[in-house]
Amino acid sequence: MQPLPVRDRAGNALTGFRRISEGELEGLGGRDVVPAALVVVEYGGAVLLVFDAWRRKWELPGGGREPGETTRRTAIRELREETGIRGVGVEAVAVAGFHLVAPDRHELIAVYRARLRVAPRLLVNDEVLDFRWWPPSDPVGEDTSPLDAEIARRVARTPTA
């Protein structure tokens, strides 16, 4: 693990990472407080990274909350939309703090984990061009989000609830 903050080339920073229960996470507030969720999918000692079509980077699956949606529902929906993975359990493990630069803002992002026993069938789509299983002990390449990689490393070291 790296000390925080961890920055990417654009100046965005992962500024905090706090383990949290589902109840604590939902108690933080609605979309204005926690506007998005990420999912760390683990299988065989590796974490699933998706190649984002717009940002052209390897990153964790996830995205923004829709009106009335809990962070859990967001995590499940985004995982399905970006990967095709359905019907797996997700557990809340953390909230990550970010300082983002375009536009300048601070955000809290819900972080969930899904541990798979069987390799999933992954589906390329308009948002995600490719998939890769990345061992968190491996270095981060130039084409990988260092912020998401640090989150994945911290989640991989978090015991199951």
Side-chain angles (χ1 to χ4, degrees), residues 118-132:
V118 176
R121 181 172 174 252
L122 301 168
L123 304 173
V124 172
N125 56 70
D126 291 344
E127 289 182 66
V128 174
L129 302 178
D130 202 1
F131 305 96
R132 120 175 148 194

Side-chain angles (χ1 to χ4, degrees), residues 60-75:
L60 295 169
R65 287 171 75 173
E66 294 181 353
E69 195 172 53
T70 65
T71 56
R72 172 179 286 282
R73 292 295 324 146
T74 300

